[in-house]
Amino acid sequence: MAESITPSNIFKDQGRVSAVGRASDDWKYKFFSYLLLTMIAFTMIVPFLWMISTSFKPESEILRRNVFPVKPTLDNYSDVINKTDLPLWYKNSFIVAVISTVSVAFFDSLAGFVFAKYNFPGKRPIFIIFLTSLMVPTEMLLIPWFIMSSNPPIGGTWVDTYWGIAFPGVITASGIFLMRQFMQGVPDELLDAGRIDGVSEFGLYWRVAVPLSLPAIGALCIFNFLGNWNAFIWPLIATTRSEMFTLPVGIQQFSSEADTPWNLIMTGASLSVVPLLIVVIIFQRYIIEGIALTGLKG
């Protein structure tokens, strides 16, 4: 028996057609989205793979167009590790990155906590000054930094010292802004309860705010570590002796006017990304949580 035509049946048919249309549009949207993301990922990963591939090529194959080495060799890694100061540069980069990261984790989170939870005269203008400093290009600060390093208020000179390389990054305006946004989500009730229990103001920061802000602090530390590990311009200016070079500066020294040993450069660059990959893989959860939760108020 044929189904009778009623208004309800018409609406049902229209609903089915609409659902089919939405499913078709969703499939097209997902397809083109995945296609675009795949192309972007491919564009980003090809230079990385080429760098690793070149690190295994003998010098005779460097200028050839073959992607993968015909005769792979580990001589490049042996030469870089045993015949250059790369292990020393590794140590220098690690020390500078750790000094800066630990300092930023403490001072930026403390300043962010103060700006988020306390009211004091000049709070807004001071915070605006911090934010406007983000618009100052790093290149404009190099000369003042170098003058300060050459004639520091304490000590003879900061040139060719770990502190001289690290001090421009011991506290950052971007980190203060990030922590301030996150600290605003710390419930005031917890702080008031701590005060009633006799906790000091620094204790409120250390025992209440910091544990609740670990995702943001973790993300800040990771970004700061990566930035200091890859820093080039300031370490190049702040160091004059090879034994104080950081990794990017040291790898740059492989080149000369007469020759550019791409096999050694690519090998050093391949080794330099190992710590970065380890840090990102282990702590990527903090990056996602820190960025996702920053600015959300409890």
Side-chain angles (χ1 to χ4, degrees):
M1 183 176 179
E3 184 179 0
S4 60
I5 300 177
T6 63
S8 61
N9 292 335
I10 294 176
F11 289 138
K12 289 180 181 179
D13 293 339
Q14 290 177 346
R16 296 192 189 99
V17 173
S18 178
V20 172
R22 285 196 300 270
S24 177
D25 292 339
D26 290 343
W27 182 86
K28 293 178 181 178
Y29 174 78
K30 290 182 179 180
F31 173 78
F32 286 108
S33 298
Y34 287 133
L35 179 62
L36 177 62
L37 292 175
T38 301
M39 293 174 61
I40 294 174
F42 181 78
T43 304
M44 296 178 65
I45 200 173
V46 164
F48 182 76
L49 295 177
W50 189 280
M51 175 186 70
I52 296 177
S53 174
T54 304
S55 69
F56 289 101
K57 291 180 180 180
E59 190 173 1
S60 59
E61 296 184 26
I62 293 298
L63 299 180
R64 295 182 183 178
R65 295 184 179 182
N66 55 301
V67 178
F68 300 102
V70 178
K71 297 179 179 179
T73 178
L74 293 176
D75 291 343
N76 296 330
Y77 286 89
S78 177
D79 292 342
V80 165
I81 294 174
N82 298 318
K83 297 181 181 180
T84 70
D85 291 330
L86 187 124
L88 183 60
W89 301 336
Y90 239 93
K91 184 192 74 172
N92 295 339
S93 291
F94 183 78
I95 292 175
V96 171
V98 168
I99 291 174
S100 177
T101 300
V102 172
S103 175
V104 162
F106 177 72
F107 289 111
D108 285 9
S109 61
L110 181 60
F113 175 72
V114 171
F115 279 117
K117 294 302 179 182
Y118 293 92
N119 292 316
F120 52 88
K123 170 184 173 180
R124 185 175 180 83
I126 294 174
F127 186 67
I128 292 176
I129 291 174
F130 272 110
L131 293 183
T132 54
S133 67
L134 294 173
M135 294 183 287
V136 180
T138 302
E139 290 75 11
M140 294 183 61
L141 300 174
L142 294 177
I143 294 178
W145 285 348
F146 184 75
I147 294 175
M148 185 176 178
S149 298
S150 303
N151 303 282
I154 301 176
T157 180
W158 290 348
V159 178
D160 286 326
T161 63
Y162 292 128
W163 173 250
I165 303 173
F167 86 88
V170 295
I171 184 169
T172 62
S174 58
I176 292 175
F177 175 75
L178 174 69
M179 294 310 306
R180 183 246 187 190
Q181 295 301 104
F182 197 94
M183 291 288 188
Q184 285 181 332
V186 176
D188 293 332
E189 293 77 7
L190 292 178
L191 303 180
D192 294 335
R195 293 187 179 98
I196 293 174
D197 291 337
V199 180
S200 65
E201 295 301 315
F202 182 80
L204 294 176
Y205 155 76
W206 188 254
R207 298 169 60 181
V208 178
V210 169
L212 293 176
S213 305
L214 286 180
I217 296 175
L220 175 63
C221 289
I222 293 171
F223 291 138
N224 187 81
F225 184 90
L226 299 182
N228 280 276
W229 184 269
N230 293 319
F232 174 75
I233 296 180
W234 173 245
L236 176 65
I237 295 175
T239 55
T240 59
R241 295 183 291 120
S242 175
E243 55 267 25
M244 287 304 301
F245 287 166
T246 57
L247 202 54
V249 178
I251 293 176
Q252 183 266 344
Q253 298 298 316
F254 287 159
S255 300
S256 64
E257 294 183 2
D259 184 33
T260 301
W262 290 111
N263 54 330
L264 300 183
I265 292 176
M266 292 300 178
T267 302
S270 299
L271 291 173
S272 70
V273 302
V274 173
L276 305 184
L277 292 176
I278 294 175
V279 169
V280 172
I281 291 173
I282 294 177
F283 299 103
Q284 61 180 332
R285 177 172 61 90
Y286 291 102
I287 299 178
I288 298 172
E289 291 183 4
I291 299 301
L293 298 178
T294 298
L296 297 180
K297 296 183 179 181

